[in-house]
């Protein structure tokens, strides 16, 4: 789980707070769409940039610490979940800017269930 948390920090990069603050300043819809699009693109790029690092760390542990194939598969599932979590966080930050907290709460509940599953 520490593996996921470390790379989640890298991929999220404080962009949720930034998008909430900037959209809340000016609630123009075109402004919100532009910020949301930019944050999603940046997060995808950060996720893609983190993939080789994540793969290298997993490979190193697999060869030196003899972690099981099931552990590697679980980490792979978490890496995919990180991709979708970055999208949900961007949308949650947008809803927070418009003070529509019921949508982020629903998304957070769904993501928690998905991580456990």
């Amino acid at each position: 789980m520490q593996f996921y948390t470390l790379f989640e920090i890298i991929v999220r990069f404080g962009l949720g707070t930034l998008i909430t603050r900037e959209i809340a300043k000016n609630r123009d819809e075109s402004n919100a769409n532009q910020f949301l699009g930019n944050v999603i693109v940046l997060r995808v790029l950060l996720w893609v940039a983190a993939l080789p690092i994540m793969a290298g760390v997993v490979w190193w542990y697999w060869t030196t610490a003899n972690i099981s194939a099931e552990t590697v598969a679980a980490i792979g599932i978490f890496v995919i979940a990180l991709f979708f979590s970055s999208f949900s966080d961007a949308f949650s930050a947008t809803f927070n800017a418009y003070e529509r907290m019921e949508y982020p709460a629903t998304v957070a509940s769904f993501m928690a269930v998905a991580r456990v599953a």
Side-chain angles (χ1 to χ4, degrees), residues 55-109:
V57 169
V58 169
W59 177 80
W60 185 76
Y61 274 110
W62 192 31
T63 57
T64 61
N66 294 324
I67 60 174
S68 67
E70 291 84 12
T71 304
V72 173
I75 291 171
I77 291 170
F78 277 116
V79 168
I80 293 168
L82 178 61
F83 178 77
F84 293 109
S85 178
S86 65
F87 280 100
S88 72
D89 185 58
F91 285 108
S92 294
T94 304
F95 285 124
N96 286 338
Y98 287 109
E99 299 176 2
R100 302 295 306 244
M101 307 311 184
E102 62 272 12
Y103 298 115
T106 303
V107 170
S109 299

Side-chain angles (χ1 to χ4, degrees), residues 3-82:
F3 182 85
Y4 177 84
T5 304
L6 174 67
F7 286 100
E8 183 180 40
I9 291 168
I10 293 169
V11 171
R12 286 190 174 184
F13 202 62
L15 295 172
T17 305
L18 175 69
I19 192 170
T20 300
R21 185 189 70 205
E22 294 302 320
I23 292 174
K25 280 183 190 177
N26 181 8
R27 293 186 181 198
D28 181 29
E29 188 173 323
S30 63
N31 183 37
N33 290 338
Q34 181 182 6
F35 273 110
L36 180 61
N38 289 342
V39 165
I40 287 175
V41 167
L42 186 55
R43 283 189 174 173
V44 168
L45 291 175
L46 287 169
W47 182 79
V48 168
L51 279 177
I53 299 167
M54 289 187 275
V57 169
V58 169
W59 177 80
W60 185 76
Y61 274 110
W62 192 31
T63 57
T64 61
N66 294 324
I67 60 174
S68 67
E70 291 84 12
T71 304
V72 173
I75 291 171
I77 291 170
F78 277 116
V79 168
I80 293 168
L82 178 61

